[in-house]
Amino acid sequence: MTLPRSDTGTYADDDVVVVGMAVEAPGGVSTVDQFWEVLHAERETIGRFPRDRGWRLDRLASLGRTEGWRTVSDAGGFLDEAAAFDPRFFGITPREAIAMDPQQRVGLRVAWRALENSGIDPESIDGDEMGCFMGAMITEYGPSMSTVNEHNGYQLSGSSLSAVAGRISHVLGSLGPCLTVDTGCAASLTAVHLAANSIRLGECDWAVAGGVTVMGSEMMFVEFAKNNALSVDGHCRSYTASASGTVWSEGAGVVVLERASRARLAGHRIHGCIRGSATNHNGSGAALAVPRGESQVRLIDRTLRVAGVRAEQVSLIEGHGTGTQVGDPIELNALARTYGAAASAAGTRVDVGSCKSNFGHTQAAAGVLGLIKVLACADRGELVPTLHADDPTDEIDWDRSGLRLVEKVRPWPAEGGVRHGAVSAFGIGGSNAHLVVAVDEKEYARA
C-alpha cells in the first residue's frame, strides 16, 4: 500500500513525523548536539574496556593465544554514565534500581529526555495512551535468578527484556501499546517501524520509539572472538578494504512520533517525516547470521513502494556498515542494485555512510542512531564523513555502482526543498529493517 501525500513534499495531516529525539553514545555524548559535534568533527569515540564492571579482562586478553580464537583488542564504545541513575527521581527504590538491567535505566532516562526535547512534559502523560516501542537485546546483567541472593524479588522484572519498554510506560503512566523488540541489531529500527504503523492503524495517537544497549557482560566480545569477526585493531572500518570486523559499543536513542496534524496543533517542531518502513527476513539458504543480498533488495524495493518515494530521490543512505568482510560487501551490492542503479540512470550518485565508524556498533540501538544522524544532517544541510573511508572496499566497482562514500564534510543540497534519506539495520537472527525519511525545508525551521 502506498500512503497518500502531497506532490509538493509538504507532509499530509496523517503522515507520521518525528517531533523529538534524544541520544546517549560513547564519548560522553548525551545530547543530539553533542552527537552531531562528534560526527562533524570526524571524531572516533572508541576507548578502553571499563575497569569497574568486574569483567575478566585477563581472560579476554588471552583468547587470541588459543587456536581458533581471534585476539580481542582492548577497545569498545562505552557510555560514561551507564551506571549513573537517580532512582528516586523516577519513583523507584534504590534496592529495585540495583536489580534493574542498566538498559532499563538508560532507556528510561533517554525516553524522558526525548519527550522534553519535543516540548512534552513527561509528568503530564499519566493516563495517556502513548505507545512505547523499544529495541533491546540480552546482555547478561547481574547474577542468575536461580541463585539465592539479596536481589531476589526484583530480578525477574529487573532482567526482563519486556521491562525495557514496560519500565518507561510504567513510570510515565502510559496506557498505550508497549513492546520491547528483539530483532538483534535491527531492533531499534524495527521498533520505529512498529511505532509508526501503530499510529497509522490508530492503535495510539503518538509514541516513543528507539532502542538501547548497555553491555552487562563481556559476552559479545567472547562470542565474536570465536567467530573471528572482531576488529583486529579496535577500529570499525565500515565499507573499507582493511575492514577486519566490528567493534562493540553501547548507546541509546529515542524518537517521539505523532501524526503531522497533531504536531501542528500542539506547536511541536517537526524534524522529519517517516515516509515508509518495512521489515523482512533472510530466509534459509545460508547460515542464520549471514546476511542475504536478495532479501535486502526486496526490502528496499518494498520500503520505497510503501513510502511512495522513487529510489533516485534518496540522496543519503545511512547503512548498517559493521566493518565485517562478509556483511559490508553484501550490503553495498544490494544498495548498488537499488539506489545506485537509479542514481546512475539519473546521472548522479547516492551518498553512503555509517556512524559505526565513529561510535562503534551500538547493537540494538544502531538503527535509531542512524535515523537521528540522517535527521541531524538534514537539519543542518550537511553530510558528514564515514571515518577510514580513504580505503574503500574493492568488492564493488564504485565508479559503476552509483554509490559513493562520504569522505568529508560537505553540503547536502535539497531537491525541491526536500531531503530524502534511508536507514538500514540487520540483525543476527536474520531480521532486516529499512526506513525512508524526508525532511521538508518548508516544514522545518530550526529553533
Side-chain angles (χ1 to χ4, degrees), residues 259-346:
R259 293 183 186 276
S261 56
R262 189 178 190 274
R264 293 177 183 128
L265 186 64
H268 294 157
R269 183 170 68 177
I270 297 176
H271 297 275
C273 172
I274 307 298
R275 283 301 191 204
S277 57
T279 63
N280 74 357
H281 193 270
N282 289 326
S284 61
L288 176 66
V290 176
R292 294 187 68 187
E294 288 296 333
S295 293
Q296 293 178 22
V297 169
R298 284 196 296 271
L299 178 65
I300 292 167
D301 287 341
R302 180 183 303 162
T303 304
L304 290 168
R305 287 196 303 272
V306 169
V309 172
R310 301 185 307 278
E312 64 269 21
Q313 291 178 273
V314 175
S315 50
L316 173 63
I317 301 165
E318 176 64 10
H320 196 55
T322 58
T324 55
Q325 294 174 331
V326 173
D328 282 13
I330 291 173
E331 180 185 6
L332 287 172
N333 277 285
L335 294 175
R337 290 172 57 188
T338 50
Y339 293 110
S344 293

Side-chain angles (χ1 to χ4, degrees), residues 10 16 26 40 50 54 78 113 192 222 237 263 286 294 311 340 380 395 409 420 439:
T10 301
V16 176
H40 194 265
F78 301 97
R113 290 175 181 165
V192 174
V222 174
R237 301 179 180 275
E294 288 296 333
R380 293 156 177 85
E395 293 292 327
V409 175
H420 286 95
V439 177

